Amino acid sequence: MDITVEKIKEASYWCKELWATNDYYRQNEELVKRFNSSEFKVWQVIIRFIPVLIITFIAVLFFAIGRVADIYPIKPPEPQKVFLNEIIKPVFLSLIGIGILYFPIALLLGIKKVKKDLKNAVARSNQLKQRIERVIKENIEIISLIPEKYRYPLATSFLTEVFECGRADTMKEALNLYEEQLHRWRMENKMNEVLKKQQNNNNLLWTNLIVNSFR
């Protein structure tokens, strides 16, 4: 296939689309792992259980204090005993009772939330994976204009620019210019993190596709 600026632009567009979709796919896969973790499941139960106990504690405490103030308008004869029997014990027993009754509900709600989040995350991952496969299947010929190693945003943008500006007429010339620019960036210690992320994501994308093609 002859290389033209328009074809390079199109190839660059689809490479960026694939890179971004794959990056989102990887992030979503991390969510799937998180939702599958024991820590997440336990936390979903805790955040539904503890607030109810706190509300119960505050409500019973204020009720007990109000009741004591109503019964004893002046200082009670045995303050410590009254404090223990009329405030501490009711609050403690209420927390135990509510805890025993509500824990199964919190457990069911937490499990339901985990299942819902996991189901949605898995569905998104499947959609993104299908999107990647569809884009490659429909556009692999134009994508192949750019060597696999350079199919990430920073590289494709640079290649598009050098062809548009007439600095290169062949892919070999454009890639040589890009390698020279990469060397300058590295010498200047610029964009190392950006490069690393984009290159790693690109490598994982195409490696996974090769592995999956043999399954």
Side-chain angles (χ1 to χ4, degrees), residues 6 9 16 20 58 80 99 103 111 139 154 160 165 180-181:
E6 288 71 24
K9 283 183 177 180
K16 290 176 181 177
I58 295 173
Q80 292 182 348
F103 182 77
I111 292 174
N139 302 280
L154 194 63
T160 301
C165 297
E180 291 174 6
Q181 184 62 53

Side-chain angles (χ1 to χ4, degrees), residues 74-195:
I74 59 175
K75 184 178 180 180
E78 298 180 83
Q80 292 182 348
K81 188 175 180 181
V82 170
F83 181 74
L84 176 64
N85 293 329
E86 301 295 336
I87 297 179
I88 297 299
K89 283 186 178 179
V91 171
F92 181 72
L93 292 174
S94 296
L95 288 177
I96 292 178
I98 292 296
I100 292 173
L101 292 173
Y102 185 72
F103 182 77
I105 299 174
L107 182 62
L108 290 174
L109 291 174
I111 292 174
K112 183 178 179 181
K113 173 64 174 175
V114 170
K115 288 182 177 179
K116 180 180 178 181
D117 288 346
L118 182 59
K119 181 180 178 181
N120 291 337
V122 170
R124 282 195 299 270
S125 283
N126 290 335
Q127 291 173 355
L128 292 166
K129 188 176 180 181
Q130 291 170 6
R131 167 67 176 167
I132 290 171
E133 292 172 350
R134 185 169 63 253
V135 168
I136 291 174
K137 182 178 180 180
E138 295 175 357
N139 302 280
I140 188 61
E141 185 177 0
I142 193 70
I143 291 172
S144 296
L145 285 176
I146 299 175
E148 183 180 310
K149 179 182 175 182
Y150 301 96
R151 294 171 189 170
Y152 55 91
L154 194 63
T156 56
S157 294
F158 184 91
L159 296 175
T160 301
E161 181 182 348
V162 296
F163 274 103
E164 280 186 316
C165 297
R167 294 173 59 193
D169 297 316
T170 65
M171 182 59 69
K172 183 177 180 180
E173 291 176 354
L175 292 177
N176 286 337
L177 288 172
Y178 182 64
E179 288 294 340
E180 291 174 6
Q181 184 62 53
L182 276 182
H183 179 70
R184 283 194 289 271
W185 282 335
R186 288 183 178 122
M187 291 297 291
E188 297 170 1
N189 198 29
K190 291 182 179 180
M191 293 193 295
N192 283 343
E193 289 302 318
V194 175
L195 274 169

Side-chain angles (χ1 to χ4, degrees), residues 4-48:
T4 63
V5 174
E6 288 71 24
K7 289 178 180 178
I8 289 296
K9 283 183 177 180
E10 185 178 356
S12 176
Y13 170 81
W14 288 117
C15 286
K16 290 176 181 177
E17 180 73 13
L18 281 173
W19 187 92
T21 305
N22 188 59
D23 190 46
Y24 187 26
Y25 172 77
R26 288 175 57 200
Q27 294 176 28
N28 203 75
E29 282 295 285
E30 290 299 319
L31 282 179
V32 172
K33 292 179 182 178
R34 179 190 168 205
F35 295 154
N36 263 323
S37 68
S38 300
E39 293 82 0
F40 180 78
K41 294 172 184 177
V42 171
W43 177 245
Q44 291 304 308
V45 176
I46 289 175
I47 62 176
R48 285 160 177 78

Side-chain angles (χ1 to χ4, degrees), residues 195-209:
L195 274 169
K196 185 177 179 181
K197 178 184 177 183
Q198 292 192 7
Q199 289 172 338
N200 287 343
N201 191 20
N202 183 63
N203 292 338
L204 284 171
L205 166 63
W206 295 101
T207 300
N208 289 337
L209 287 170

